[in-house]
Amino acid sequence: MVGSPEFDAYQRFILSAKLYWTGPMFRALRETYRHRLSLAPKEMPPGPERVAALLAGEPDAQIFCWMERHLQRFKYSGRLGLVPAHEEARAAIEAALNAPLPPGLLELDPGFEVPRYFRAVDIHQHPGGIWSDEIAGAVYERGARSTTPLLSKDLSLHERFTDLVLALRRPRRLLDMGCGFGKSTKPFYERCREAEVLGIDIAAPCLKLAAQDAAAAQARNVAFKQRSADATRLPDGSFDLVTSTMMLHEMPPPVVEGTLREAFRLLEPGGLMIHLDFLPPEEDEFLTWIHYGHGRRNNEPYMEPLARMGIGRVMEAIGFREVRIEPFEEMEGALARRETHWRFPWAVVSGVRPAA
Ligand SMILES: C[S@@+](CC[C@H](N)C(=O)[O-])C[C@H]1O[C@@H](n2cnc3c(N)ncnc32)[C@H](O)[C@@H]1O
């Protein structure tokens, strides 16, 4: 079914509808918000709560939110959704995932307990989440191609982040936390052949795909292990660079804090930690409201808590120095388009473990 004309037409339709939501519907909603704001009592305190009050009951807002939730649901579910469509190819996908691998490339932990916070919700509205089904990594890989509609070809995001990181640091030993199916790890192991690269994740189906992909690319400098980022059981000071891409917003704040502490422990003195994630611009209450609502509507309940936890202060309290939180352009000109298009509020969060 995957790849059939019917499946392709359905998924293309969902993507086109998402693009309509991303552009014209977003602009209409911003206009409605501006109009409502111009009529609002001056004493209303600014913030996402004000936007929620101004837009309560507005048809523009209701349909925008409905589209956001249900287009993603349609993408995965229903007869031509990604999950049922992959079912027919299950045997072939499982065989490919379980093909023999070079020794040491993949280490799964049969006794690993996926944390409760991750089991409690079907993240991104992926039925069963990305951890419970053997073929969930393959479904997620297909789904990720249209997560950010403006990047539907998804050409530049991970490459651009890798460019940014490598301009700051050429690693010898790199840890990619929350590596998923390896999309964030691959540009590092391909572009830093001299470095040892380790990807860790809690989702075995994704790690299997990451390892098969690395084997197909004949990469010799990478390994994948099933470990939680806040309790890696790896030796102190064993990396000079720790990265993550889109992982922190999938963790509740105590796990984020545990992960930052773990990164600090794993870094050698002078080592760099750098995460790419989502933090809305506080000065823009509309975009902040959009982002918090996206977390609720797309089953990503820790997005808002991450934005509110004051991650920079937490990093400084742990001991990181040169703490920086900066917006990230996931594609050329993306920041300028935030007025006119829905986008994730990408941000780079980094800090250095001071030299002893
Ligand atoms: C949105 S995906 C991003 C995957 C990959 N970094 C990428 O850019 O494509 C987030 C990943 O974080 C992983 N994750 C969530 N909690 C984790 C934890 N405690 N430790 C390690 N990985 C975790 C999830 O399993 C998922 O694969």
Side-chain angles (χ1 to χ4, degrees):
M1 163 99 65
V2 178
S4 70
E6 204 187 8
F7 169 83
D8 284 347
Y10 176 79
Q11 290 292 334
R12 268 204 311 276
F13 170 76
I14 302 282
L15 184 57
S16 306
K18 273 202 172 196
L19 283 167
Y20 183 67
W21 167 83
T22 298
M25 291 190 72
F26 176 87
R27 288 192 284 280
L29 185 57
R30 231 208 217 282
E31 275 314 302
T32 303
Y33 152 72
R34 289 209 170 101
H35 176 64
R36 289 278 155 223
L37 185 61
S38 71
L39 304 175
K42 294 287 162 277
E43 60 278 9
M44 268 182 109
E49 295 77 12
R50 172 166 78 177
V51 184
L54 293 176
L55 292 178
E58 279 293 338
D60 276 357
Q62 289 174 337
I63 188 96
F64 181 90
C65 296
W66 190 95
M67 294 273 281
E68 184 172 33
R69 176 148 185 97
H70 295 292
L71 290 176
Q72 176 80 352
R73 187 166 67 79
F74 296 159
K75 181 169 102 171
Y76 280 108
S77 309
R79 190 169 65 83
L80 295 165
L82 292 172
V83 169
H86 279 77
E87 200 52 47
E88 284 180 12
R90 174 176 290 279
I93 298 172
E94 284 182 358
L97 286 173
N98 292 312
L101 288 166
L105 179 53
L106 175 64
E107 180 201 285
L108 296 179
D109 176 355
F112 187 84
E113 268 211 32
V114 174
R116 201 175 152 271
Y117 73 83
F118 207 62
R119 287 185 276 120
V121 58
D122 284 352
I123 209 117
H124 317 143
Q125 303 192 61
H126 183 146
I130 61 168
W131 58 274
S132 67
D133 187 330
E134 173 89 355
I135 66 169
V139 174
Y140 174 42
E141 189 279 328
R142 180 64 176 72
R145 295 187 214 167
S146 56
T147 302
T148 47
L150 289 179
L151 287 175
S152 57
K153 295 195 184 68
D154 209 359
L155 291 176
S156 59
L157 165 63
H158 291 88
E159 287 295 337
R160 285 169 80 92
F161 180 60
T162 309
D163 285 346
L164 183 147
V165 174
L166 295 183
L168 298 170
R169 191 72 54 127
R170 283 305 296 190
R172 284 173 284 108
R173 280 166 290 128
L174 181 154
L175 174 65
D176 184 28
M177 294 174 147
C179 62
F181 57 86
K183 199 169 185 176
S184 49
T185 326
K186 191 169 191 170
F188 287 111
Y189 67 70
E190 289 203 319
R191 290 170 60 182
C192 306
R193 296 277 179 194
E194 69 292 356
E196 279 172 43
V197 177
L198 175 63
I200 60 168
D201 204 285
I202 53 179
C206 293
L207 287 164
K208 283 188 172 185
L209 186 55
Q212 291 294 345
D213 193 35
Q218 302 197 328
R220 304 260 178 271
N221 58 335
V222 66
F224 295 95
K225 293 184 196 287
Q226 188 174 22
R227 305 276 169 101
S228 185
D230 61 336
T232 62
R233 294 179 281 115
L234 297 166
D236 289 0
S238 42
F239 298 93
D240 55 347
L241 181 61
V242 173
T243 60
S244 84
T245 304
M246 298 186 275
M247 175 192 68
L248 297 178
H249 74 276
E250 293 196 356
M251 302 167 151
V255 182
V256 174
E257 184 168 345
T259 295
L260 299 173
R261 281 189 196 287
E262 185 72 346
F264 191 84
R265 181 184 74 76
L266 292 172
L267 281 171
E268 63 183 31
L272 173 70
M273 174 185 79
I274 182 159
H275 303 278
L276 177 61
D277 223 287
F278 312 125
L279 295 172
E282 274 171 27
E283 73 288 358
D284 190 325
E285 62 176 11
F286 176 75
L287 292 182
T288 302
W289 174 80
I290 288 273
H291 183 62
Y292 291 173
H294 181 80
R296 284 192 293 279
R297 290 184 285 277
N298 206 36
N299 287 6
E300 313 211 39
Y302 315 116
M303 266 181 174
E304 180 173 340
L306 173 69
R308 289 190 188 269
M309 74 179 275
I311 191 167
R313 282 194 307 279
V314 173
M315 283 164 61
E316 276 167 359
I318 290 171
F320 283 102
R321 293 295 170 259
E322 300 174 47
V323 171
R324 294 206 173 91
I325 301 178
E326 284 159 345
F328 174 77
E329 282 213 307
E330 72 282 14
M331 58 189 275
E332 203 59 43
L335 284 174
R337 295 179 80 181
R338 71 178 209 190
E339 279 295 309
T340 54
H341 291 79
W342 181 93
R343 66 182 277 277
F344 281 119
W346 296 96
V348 174
V349 177
S350 63
V352 171
R353 177 177 176 150

